Amino acid sequence: LLLHGDLEHSTKAEMWEQAGVDAGVLKTLENYVSAYDAADNGALDEQALAGMNLPAPMAEEIKTLNAEKKAELEELNAAALVTPTPDVAPDKVFDAIVAPHQGKVVVVDLWNTWCGPCRAAIKDNEPAKSGDLASDDIVWIYIANQTSPRAKYLQMISDIKGIHYQLDDAQWRAICDRFKVDGIPYYIIVDRNGKAEGRPDVRDHSLYKKAILEKLAR
């Protein structure tokens, strides 16, 4: 049996058919290679696969490969939304995260996927980013820790506009200790001069916009 890499030029069914040879098996192999290549990129058209009339075991193998590759690609695309954590000591992480945005108002949201109030608050606050709080001078930063299951975390952040970090335990605890975090969601607002202030009061949705707009006006 020819190796997968040899099939491109040596199993062209049309060539064998023109020579008067029954190329049914070769046509199946040719279709298999075409489907395999598409599946290996997570880009298989299952309707096209059905039209290839591959034996059931081959078709199932191709479908499985396609699903695996598609899942890998989706995770890679989602993971690209997570900003690498600065390589500094845990007690320096917060400053390193907000430092690039000096001159702007930075709204930091501490949250996790398993936190119902966090999810509800994000859902309530998200529309404001394209509404009352639409401004290039506001930076939205979301910080979770590793208690958020990775798959669920990657799925959720794709719908949350902002910069995303997922910290380890030491980094998370350093931020919580510094700002005396009493639970999540917890908000830290950084003014244009880089002064950071813990604002648990803006858990009250009616105060959230007001607090940010006040910082923006200064």
Side-chain angles (χ1 to χ4, degrees):
L1 183 65
L2 293 169
L3 295 176
H4 175 270
D6 298 329
L7 289 171
E8 181 178 358
H9 300 295
S10 55
T11 64
K12 291 295 185 183
E14 291 179 1
M15 176 184 72
W16 292 96
E17 287 170 350
Q18 289 170 3
V21 177
D22 181 358
V25 173
L26 293 176
K27 182 64 176 176
T28 296
L29 288 174
E30 184 178 310
N31 286 343
Y32 172 81
V33 171
S34 176
Y36 185 99
D37 287 342
D40 199 35
N41 290 302
L44 178 69
D45 182 334
E46 291 202 15
Q47 185 174 357
L49 176 65
M52 293 178 181
N53 296 316
L54 291 176
M58 281 187 174
E60 287 305 312
E61 177 192 355
I62 293 294
K63 289 180 181 179
T64 299
L65 175 64
N66 186 67
E68 291 173 351
K69 292 296 183 178
K70 188 173 182 179
E72 287 177 12
L73 288 171
E74 288 175 350
E75 179 162 349
L76 286 171
N77 290 336
L81 298 174
V82 184
T83 302
T85 304
D87 186 15
V88 296
D91 63 341
K92 304 295 183 186
V93 165
F94 183 85
D95 290 335
I97 286 174
V98 301
H101 311 293
Q102 189 158 359
K104 297 187 177 184
V105 174
V106 182
V107 181
V108 180
D109 185 335
L110 303 184
W111 75 294
N112 273 299
T113 58
W114 44 261
C115 169
C118 298
R119 297 195 305 270
I122 289 171
K123 182 178 180 180
D124 287 343
N125 295 334
E126 195 69 13
K129 296 174 185 175
S130 56
D132 296 344
L133 298 179
S135 172
D136 291 338
D137 281 343
I138 301 176
V139 177
W140 309 95
I141 294 179
Y142 291 84
I143 298 178
N145 63 32
Q146 293 176 353
T147 64
S148 288
R150 185 69 171 177
K152 182 66 174 178
Y153 173 74
L154 294 177
Q155 178 187 10
M156 288 185 64
I157 66 173
S158 63
D159 295 323
I160 304 171
K161 179 183 177 182
I163 302 170
H164 296 274
Y165 293 89
Q166 191 172 24
L167 307 187
D168 64 28
D169 184 60
Q171 295 162 341
W172 176 269
R173 282 190 287 105
I175 293 175
C176 289
D177 290 345
R178 174 174 170 179
F179 293 99
K180 297 180 174 56
V181 174
D182 59 357
I184 55 175
Y186 189 91
Y187 303 95
I188 303 165
I189 301 180
V190 186
D191 68 17
R192 293 180 184 273
N193 296 316
K195 181 180 178 182
E197 180 182 14
R199 293 295 300 268
D201 58 311
V202 301
R203 289 171 178 150
D204 180 339
H205 189 66
S206 65
L207 299 178
Y208 182 82
K209 292 181 185 179
K210 180 180 178 182
I212 297 170
L213 290 172
E214 285 176 354
K215 297 292 186 184
L216 194 62
R218 296 176 184 173

